Amino acid sequence: MTIIKTIQSFSKKNNFDLENKSILVATSGGVDSMVLIDILLQINAISNQKIKKIGIAHCNFSLRGNESDEDEEFIKNYAATNNIPFHSIKFNTKELAAEQQKSIQLIARELRYDFFEKISQENEYNNEYNNEYDFVATAHHLSDSLETSIYHLSKGTGIAGIRGILPKRKVSTNKAQIIRPLLCLTKAEILNYANQNNLTWREDASNQTEKYKRNFIRHQIIPRLKEINPDTEKTFLDTSERLRSMENLLQFHVNQFEKTILVNKDKSKSIQVSEIKNLIEPLLIISEFLKKKGFSYKQTQQIIKQLENSEQEETKTFISKSHVLYTNQKRWLLVNQKENQLNNKNDDEFLIDLTIHFNNSEKYSFKNEEQEITLILKKCDLKEVDFKSEAMYLDLDKLEFPLVLRKWQNGDKFIPLGMKNKKNIGDFLTDLKIPIHQRNFVYVLLSKNEIVWVGIIENNKVTGLRINNNFKLTKSTQNIIKVN
Amino acid sequence: MTIIKTIQSFSKKNNFDLENKSILVATSGGVDSMVLIDILLQINAISNQKIKKIGIAHCNFSLRGNESDEDEEFIKNYAATNNIPFHSIKFNTKELAAEQQKSIQLIARELRYDFFEKISQENEYNNEYNNEYDFVATAHHLSDSLETSIYHLSKGTGIAGIRGILPKRKVSTNKAQIIRPLLCLTKAEILNYANQNNLTWREDASNQTEKYKRNFIRHQIIPRLKEINPDTEKTFLDTSERLRSMENLLQFHVNQFEKTILVNKDKSKSIQVSEIKNLIEPLLIISEFLKKKGFSYKQTQQIIKQLENSEQEETKTFISKSHVLYTNQKRWLLVNQKENQLNNKNDDEFLIDLTIHFNNSEKYSFKNEEQEITLILKKCDLKEVDFKSEAMYLDLDKLEFPLVLRKWQNGDKFIPLGMKNKKNIGDFLTDLKIPIHQRNFVYVLLSKNEIVWVGIIENNKVTGLRINNNFKLTKSTQNIIKVN
């Protein structure tokens, strides 16, 4: 049977030889997963390269009412009939998604892989059969892989996007690896196999609609690609392999970069700009490295663009969800934001860290993908203080770094200069007659959790409104910081 | 004008800053090229970064009769009106394509670039204006680039296929480089610019039909990708940039391989297999290297697959249009076939080179993409000769290497063993009553241009029919070669 040989040879080629392995098959009840199980059973029936053990895992996501339960029943019966260990779990997916504020698709994915991981690892799940699984097999096929690639091509992506689905990958700390033995077969071949072997399966109604973008690609785009080349999918098998190799090559360079160029400091990493310039493809390698730190390709483009502008002496700050990167012409500093900071932080929040005496710069530029903000913080002495200017002055020694700059929120309070009690910023803005449309541009600067400065930042023009009375200059002030 | 800034910044980013450069614009008369010229003229009208000189080149391919001539006239008038140097040439494209047995599209492409190269280099073309051109600009745009990428994705390709059209590339030995300033604009933006600026252009009727695959992609596939993401094309600009960087990274490794691992011998290159195994991604790097020697990715897959089969001691031979690669477990040898051999050689022709004492192997396996043939050539001494066996014996010292193995052709003659005069192989096969259907499997082995052996190779079984009388064993024979 040639399809079995194809699977075996594909498995070997991708370093997951099935022989003598324990395989847990993720089974939805759809035709793909039923074909996958049947092929594995066939291997044990007719090939010399026996699989040690086959198990079935099913997640009931309760998304289609009775149908979901019938799916589970169907697979349970199949497992019993074929004497295959069966593991199932039922989730209230919609509730969990709402609770965790995640999309149904995302949460289902997480629950699914989490369950597989547990089964393949924990005794409580598999003590009945008394051994662990080497592989968790999913039924992704070549047409899925091409769809993924085209989806990413349309959405914009690096190489990992267009190389399609990986034949094998590790899931977190799990010993068991996810494998996709059907990635060498097209959907048509799978359907053909199912029909020829009189398999039964459950139709998933959501597959038939064009509700999801995947299905749109499947029904609207791929058939047209096949008009150009009927073997588009098979052809993609090679393309995918070549792109995966490219990805490995790139990863090699990123690893080299991390090993040899990154200097680990206490809580930060330092990079000499001269070293970056020596990289073969700086933008590519750095973008791949910074992607893991949450930065987008667009951000890396901006970061690298700075390298070319050798006259710029200013230190720029780039923010991702998890990291801050300070850059200037000589050195870059990458700082990991602490988890707890992260959780309370939204995308418009910027860290200002003067404790990082980085080029002694006073000018901080903040960039996320939406806007650019420049705030100038300057140490100055008393002689320089000009209360008539637009600048505002704070007692440096009362501040705790890093400061945080963010948009004002309902409930924010501070003691306006000259007052004794805390005031709601909303009321404060009303008093100043700041019009509603401008209130969206009101920012606050925080030291620890206390607001030290309130201002408007609009079209990159900074207008200070008021400082916190607690941070004003006093007779005992030693060091002054000027904000504008 | 923002579109002009976009073009200038794209040009700079891709290392073809237009300022103070002489640019020859390839102009078909279609909207793309008319927009390109207009933008370049606009740059000189409103920007400080002036272009030194703009010229227009037009190829009249005579493919659409009067229309082609009217196109030429249109551009000539445009050039005159705008006081732009104009260079044109007329080709009988269909005749040239027929003569050279090339497709219309291929020959048109060759003629086109050849013409551009001449204009930008030779005095006879540009002495009137007395200077050369730095760049030849073509009007390829972002939508073209995405179309190319999708076309290659459907047809199967390496990274060079899906990375789209290059913003800049060198053409052969030409000093002038091809540049594509419009690669940052979509077709929609180009049409928009043309309408807003009241440009006139000539419609190319062939663009409207779905005659070509490009147009099919343009009209059937890209609109659907844009349903997923309206900015698909702009998004592809980044993807293309990232893939180009990947390509450069790969090229770096190929260059390293060529510099450090390839050992240049007289007319061949030698590679230690152990070195290949040390490459980061052997298949990828070797396939990119061998691609330049005419080998397909499929062939490289087979070649690399051998590395894993460490027990195989046999030398295998892989053939491309320009090279022969001999491989075994220890060493690879890459031989460049001479140009004149090439021209007379078809795909079913194999070289057998015993002068390459490569692993002292006697067994030659030949593989092209269609078939595998194994022929055993063995040096033996007189005692071993067994005329009753199916093997045939030749006088080794009369042979001139490399031998060529190929299918017989009409007109082939040789002197069958025991005869004095040359005989047509057709007649010889008739005498032997070889049935017509089997004659397709008749092969001849040639030393220089003389047929030394005739046999049938079918399903990899070799049946010798007769040797040439001139190469039979005689009393003076010193060295014998056995063929079977």
Side-chain angles (χ1 to χ4, degrees):
Chain A
M1 247 184 130
T2 141
I3 217 162
I4 287 191
K5 283 199 178 150
T6 304
I7 299 275
Q8 286 177 319
S9 118
F10 179 76
S11 304
K12 272 182 203 156
K13 187 175 173 187
N14 289 285
N15 301 313
F16 58 89
D17 194 348
L18 305 171
E19 192 174 1
N20 206 27
K21 293 295 190 313
S22 300
I23 304 171
L24 179 69
V25 185
T27 313
S28 68
V31 62
D32 303 338
S33 53
M34 297 316 289
V35 163
L36 176 55
I37 294 174
D38 193 81
I39 287 177
L40 297 180
L41 293 175
Q42 281 292 315
I43 287 177
N44 271 3
I46 67 169
S47 157
N48 290 326
Q49 298 162 33
K50 308 275 183 226
I51 295 164
K52 187 162 141 201
K53 176 188 159 191
I54 298 169
I56 287 182
H58 177 73
C59 295
N60 182 342
F61 292 112
S62 317
L63 288 170
R64 290 174 296 114
N66 271 349
E67 273 187 57
S68 293
D69 295 335
E70 286 164 22
D71 286 353
E72 182 174 347
E73 203 54 32
F74 168 79
I75 300 159
K76 193 176 173 179
N77 289 338
Y78 178 91
T81 310
N82 290 278
N83 202 22
I84 301 173
F86 178 68
H87 319 263
S88 73
I89 195 167
K90 191 168 178 169
F91 300 106
N92 290 323
T93 315
K94 278 180 194 160
E95 287 174 25
L96 287 167
E99 263 173 38
Q100 297 184 33
Q101 294 188 310
K102 287 174 179 167
S103 76
I104 296 269
Q105 275 179 311
L106 180 65
I107 198 98
R109 197 190 136 84
E110 287 179 3
L111 290 169
R112 196 170 121 99
Y113 283 108
D114 198 44
F115 176 58
F116 298 155
E117 188 155 350
K118 275 186 184 148
I119 305 173
S120 59
Q121 255 180 342
E122 289 178 15
N123 280 325
E124 57 184 298
Y125 280 95
N126 54 35
N127 59 357
E128 187 184 342
Y129 311 102
N130 203 29
N131 59 3
E132 295 182 344
Y133 289 97
D134 301 299
F135 298 135
V136 174
T138 67
H140 294 97
H141 50 71
L142 191 49
S143 308
D144 287 331
S145 187
L146 178 59
E147 281 160 25
T148 305
S149 173
I150 290 170
Y151 178 69
H152 286 123
L153 185 68
S154 74
K155 297 290 279 183
T157 173
I159 200 147
I162 45 176
R163 57 98 166 108
I165 297 170
L166 291 176
K168 184 170 103 169
R169 70 178 188 86
K170 245 187 131 45
V171 179
S172 67
T173 55
N174 193 354
K175 192 187 134 252
Q177 290 177 302
I178 307 280
I179 60 168
R180 282 90 182 223
L182 298 190
L183 267 190
C184 54
L185 301 182
T186 65
K187 182 77 180 186
E189 286 172 317
I190 287 170
L191 281 170
N192 197 31
Y193 178 94
N195 289 322
Q196 280 183 348
N197 293 277
N198 297 316
L199 302 191
T200 51
W201 65 89
R202 302 266 305 166
E203 290 291 349
D204 179 348
S206 67
N207 258 337
Q208 298 300 321
T209 66
E210 296 204 350
K211 191 177 158 193
Y212 298 113
K213 281 165 184 169
R214 278 196 92 72
N215 278 316
F216 180 80
I217 295 171
R218 182 172 311 164
H219 298 302
Q220 293 297 323
I221 297 176
I222 295 190
R224 285 179 176 83
L225 288 177
K226 286 168 116 171
E227 286 182 49
I228 303 172
N229 173 19
D231 281 335
T232 290
E233 287 150 323
K234 286 290 178 196
T235 293
F236 182 68
L237 195 58
D238 275 350
T239 304
S240 176
E241 179 183 295
R242 294 163 90 163
L243 293 175
R244 261 185 282 129
S245 299
M246 291 292 310
E247 204 185 356
N248 293 342
L249 199 63
L250 173 56
Q251 202 46 58
F252 170 83
H253 285 273
V254 176
N255 293 345
Q256 287 285 100
F257 167 76
E258 292 183 358
K259 257 189 258 167
T260 61
I261 299 182
L262 272 190
V263 180
N264 281 299
K265 304 223 157 186
D266 191 16
K267 280 172 188 169
S268 64
K269 289 169 194 292
S270 163
I271 309 157
Q272 292 295 120
V273 168
S274 56
E275 303 271 18
I276 293 168
K277 288 182 176 169
N278 285 334
L279 292 173
I280 303 166
E281 285 286 326
L283 174 59
L284 183 71
I285 294 166
I286 298 289
S287 75
E288 200 65 21
F289 167 71
L290 287 180
K291 193 171 78 181
K292 296 190 280 180
K293 313 294 177 190
F295 294 89
S296 72
Y297 185 68
K298 283 259 180 273
Q299 284 179 302
T300 312
Q301 279 178 318
Q302 291 168 347
I303 293 165
I304 296 287
K305 204 172 175 182
Q306 268 198 101
L307 294 183
E308 287 148 28
N309 182 5
S310 56
E311 283 159 31
Q312 180 223 293
E313 274 303 315
E314 178 187 337
T315 294
K316 291 232 173 199
T317 309
F318 298 87
I319 321 276
S320 80
K321 297 230 178 215
S322 59
H323 286 74
V324 186
L325 179 71
Y326 301 91
T327 67
N328 69 13
Q329 281 301 321
K330 286 181 201 140
R331 209 157 60 87
W332 292 2
L333 205 66
L334 183 70
V335 185
N336 194 350
Q337 301 183 53
K338 281 172 202 153
E339 277 300 331
N340 56 354
Q341 275 185 325
L342 243 184
N343 293 339
N344 299 319
K345 221 181 118 316
N346 65 40
D347 283 352
D348 284 328
E349 215 165 272
F350 308 117
L351 291 183
I352 298 178
D353 199 346
L354 284 189
T355 54
I356 298 163
H357 289 294
F358 187 53
N359 196 33
N360 291 318
S361 169
E362 313 123 355
K363 191 169 170 184
Y364 279 80
S365 283
F366 305 92
K367 249 184 185 171
N368 61 11
E369 292 198 56
E370 286 124 36
Q371 58 185 319
E372 176 160 4
I373 292 172
T374 307
L375 194 72
I376 301 173
L377 299 178
K378 194 177 175 178
K379 265 178 86 170
C380 61
D381 58 51
L382 203 55
K383 288 173 199 164
E384 294 174 79
V385 172
D386 172 13
F387 286 113
K388 286 176 193 159
S389 78
E390 289 210 350
M392 292 189 164
Y393 301 89
L394 297 164
D395 187 329
L396 179 57
D397 299 315
K398 289 180 180 157
L399 297 173
E400 247 180 77
F401 289 92
L403 305 179
V404 168
L405 179 76
R406 66 158 166 79
K407 282 194 181 176
W408 79 283
Q409 294 161 0
N410 259 334
D412 276 346
K413 286 177 187 178
F414 83 128
I415 308 171
L417 182 69
M419 300 182 81
K420 286 188 173 170
N421 297 316
K422 283 204 172 180
K423 184 159 196 160
N424 251 313
I425 294 209
D427 298 337
F428 170 73
L429 295 175
T430 306
D431 290 351
L432 287 188
K433 297 189 175 126
I434 305 293
I436 297 290
H437 72 264
Q438 217 177 13
R439 294 192 184 187
N440 194 34
F441 301 105
V442 172
Y443 281 77
V444 294
L445 190 65
L446 296 102
S447 167
K448 265 194 150 174
N449 294 313
E450 210 170 349
I451 291 168
V452 297
W453 174 95
V454 181
I456 297 176
I457 306 180
E458 198 177 356
N459 299 326
N460 209 11
K461 190 178 171 304
V462 180
T463 314
L465 294 175
R466 198 73 56 94
I467 64 161
N468 186 322
N469 197 59
N470 292 345
F471 296 86
K472 69 180 173 196
L473 310 189
T474 63
K475 282 175 191 164
S476 58
T477 297
Q478 305 256 328
N479 294 297
I480 302 169
I481 192 158
K482 176 176 158 190
V483 182
N484 63 350
Chain B
M1 248 185 132
T2 143
I3 216 163
I4 287 191
K5 282 199 178 148
T6 306
I7 298 276
Q8 286 178 319
S9 117
F10 179 77
S11 302
K12 272 182 203 155
K13 188 175 173 187
N14 287 286
N15 300 315
F16 59 88
D17 193 348
L18 304 172
E19 192 175 1
N20 206 26
K21 293 294 190 315
S22 299
I23 303 171
L24 179 69
V25 186
T27 314
S28 68
V31 63
D32 303 338
S33 53
M34 295 318 288
V35 163
L36 176 55
I37 294 175
D38 193 79
I39 288 177
L40 297 180
L41 292 175
Q42 281 291 315
I43 287 177
N44 272 3
I46 67 170
S47 157
N48 291 325
Q49 298 162 31
K50 308 276 183 225
I51 295 164
K52 188 161 138 202
K53 177 187 158 191
I54 298 168
I56 288 182
H58 176 73
C59 295
N60 181 343
F61 293 113
S62 319
L63 289 170
R64 291 173 296 116
N66 270 351
E67 273 187 57
S68 294
D69 295 335
E70 286 163 22
D71 286 354
E72 182 175 346
E73 203 53 30
F74 168 77
I75 300 158
K76 193 175 172 182
N77 289 338
Y78 178 90
T81 309
N82 290 278
N83 201 20
I84 301 173
F86 178 69
H87 318 263
S88 73
I89 194 167
K90 191 167 179 170
F91 299 107
N92 289 322
T93 315
K94 279 180 192 160
E95 286 174 27
L96 287 166
E99 262 174 37
Q100 296 184 36
Q101 295 189 309
K102 287 174 179 167
S103 77
I104 297 270
Q105 276 179 311
L106 180 64
I107 198 99
R109 198 188 135 84
E110 288 179 1
L111 291 170
R112 198 170 121 96
Y113 283 108
D114 199 43
F115 176 58
F116 298 154
E117 188 154 351
K118 274 185 186 151
I119 305 172
S120 58
Q121 256 180 343
E122 289 179 14
N123 279 326
E124 57 183 299
Y125 281 94
N126 54 35
N127 58 358
E128 189 185 340
Y129 311 103
N130 203 27
N131 60 0
E132 294 182 344
Y133 288 97
D134 300 300
F135 297 136
V136 174
T138 68
H140 294 98
H141 51 71
L142 191 49
S143 308
D144 286 332
S145 187
L146 178 59
E147 282 160 24
T148 305
S149 173
I150 290 170
Y151 178 69
H152 286 123
L153 184 70
S154 74
K155 297 290 282 184
T157 172
I159 201 147
I162 47 176
R163 56 99 166 108
I165 297 170
L166 292 175
K168 183 169 103 170
R169 70 176 188 87
K170 246 190 131 44
V171 179
S172 68
T173 56
N174 195 353
K175 192 187 134 253
Q177 289 179 303
I178 306 280
I179 60 169
R180 280 91 181 221
L182 298 189
L183 268 189
C184 54
L185 302 181
T186 64
K187 182 76 180 186
E189 287 172 316
I190 287 170
L191 281 171
N192 198 29
Y193 178 94
N195 289 322
Q196 280 183 347
N197 293 274
N198 297 314
L199 302 191
T200 51
W201 65 88
R202 301 265 306 164
E203 289 291 348
D204 179 348
S206 67
N207 258 339
Q208 298 300 321
T209 66
E210 296 205 349
K211 191 176 159 193
Y212 299 112
K213 280 164 184 168
R214 277 197 93 70
N215 278 316
F216 180 81
I217 295 172
R218 182 172 312 166
H219 299 302
Q220 294 297 323
I221 297 175
I222 295 189
R224 286 181 173 82
L225 289 176
K226 285 169 118 171
E227 287 183 48
I228 303 172
N229 172 20
D231 281 334
T232 291
E233 287 150 323
K234 286 290 178 195
T235 292
F236 182 68
L237 194 58
D238 276 350
T239 305
S240 176
E241 179 183 295
R242 294 162 91 162
L243 293 175
R244 259 184 284 131
S245 299
M246 292 292 308
E247 203 185 357
N248 292 342
L249 200 64
L250 173 56
Q251 202 46 57
F252 171 83
H253 286 272
V254 175
N255 293 344
Q256 287 286 100
F257 167 77
E258 291 184 358
K259 259 191 256 167
T260 61
I261 299 182
L262 272 190
V263 180
N264 281 299
K265 304 221 158 187
D266 191 16
K267 280 170 189 172
S268 63
K269 290 167 193 296
S270 162
I271 309 157
Q272 291 297 119
V273 167
S274 55
E275 304 270 19
I276 294 168
K277 287 181 176 169
N278 285 335
L279 292 173
I280 303 166
E281 284 287 327
L283 175 58
L284 183 69
I285 294 167
I286 298 290
S287 74
E288 200 64 20
F289 166 71
L290 287 179
K291 193 170 77 180
K292 296 190 280 180
K293 313 291 178 193
F295 294 90
S296 72
Y297 185 69
K298 284 257 178 276
Q299 283 180 302
T300 312
Q301 279 178 319
Q302 291 168 348
I303 293 165
I304 296 288
K305 205 172 176 181
Q306 268 197 102
L307 293 182
E308 287 148 27
N309 182 5
S310 57
E311 282 159 32
Q312 179 222 293
E313 275 302 317
E314 179 186 336
T315 294
K316 291 232 175 200
T317 308
F318 298 88
I319 320 276
S320 79
K321 296 232 179 217
S322 58
H323 286 74
V324 186
L325 179 71
Y326 301 91
T327 68
N328 69 13
Q329 281 301 320
K330 285 181 202 140
R331 209 157 61 88
W332 291 3
L333 206 64
L334 183 69
V335 186
N336 194 349
Q337 302 183 53
K338 282 171 202 156
E339 277 300 331
N340 56 352
Q341 275 184 327
L342 244 183
N343 294 337
N344 300 320
K345 224 181 115 314
N346 64 42
D347 283 351
D348 283 330
E349 214 165 273
F350 306 117
L351 290 183
I352 298 177
D353 199 347
L354 284 189
T355 54
I356 300 164
H357 288 296
F358 188 50
N359 196 33
N360 291 319
S361 169
E362 312 124 355
K363 192 169 169 184
Y364 280 80
S365 285
F366 306 93
K367 249 186 183 169
N368 60 12
E369 293 198 54
E370 286 122 37
Q371 59 183 322
E372 178 160 2
I373 292 171
T374 307
L375 193 74
I376 301 173
L377 298 178
K378 192 178 178 178
K379 264 179 87 170
C380 64
D381 60 52
L382 204 55
K383 287 172 197 163
E384 293 175 79
V385 171
D386 173 12
F387 287 112
K388 285 175 191 159
S389 78
E390 287 210 351
M392 291 191 167
Y393 301 89
L394 296 164
D395 187 330
L396 178 56
D397 300 314
K398 288 180 181 158
L399 297 173
E400 247 180 77
F401 289 93
L403 305 179
V404 169
L405 180 76
R406 66 158 167 81
K407 284 195 180 174
W408 79 284
Q409 295 161 0
N410 258 336
D412 276 346
K413 288 179 185 176
F414 83 127
I415 306 171
L417 183 68
M419 299 182 83
K420 285 188 174 171
N421 296 317
K422 284 204 171 180
K423 186 158 193 157
N424 250 315
I425 294 209
D427 297 339
F428 169 74
L429 295 174
T430 305
D431 289 352
L432 287 188
K433 294 184 179 137
I434 305 294
I436 296 291
H437 72 266
Q438 217 177 13
R439 293 192 184 186
N440 195 33
F441 301 105
V442 172
Y443 281 77
V444 293
L445 190 64
L446 296 101
S447 167
K448 266 194 150 174
N449 293 312
E450 212 170 348
I451 292 168
V452 298
W453 174 93
V454 181
I456 297 176
I457 306 179
E458 199 177 355
N459 298 327
N460 209 11
K461 187 178 174 301
V462 180
T463 315
L465 293 175
R466 195 73 58 89
I467 63 161
N468 185 321
N469 197 60
N470 292 345
F471 296 85
K472 68 179 174 195
L473 310 189
T474 62
K475 281 175 190 165
S476 59
T477 298
Q478 306 256 327
N479 294 296
I480 301 169
I481 191 157
K482 177 176 158 189
V483 183
N484 65 348

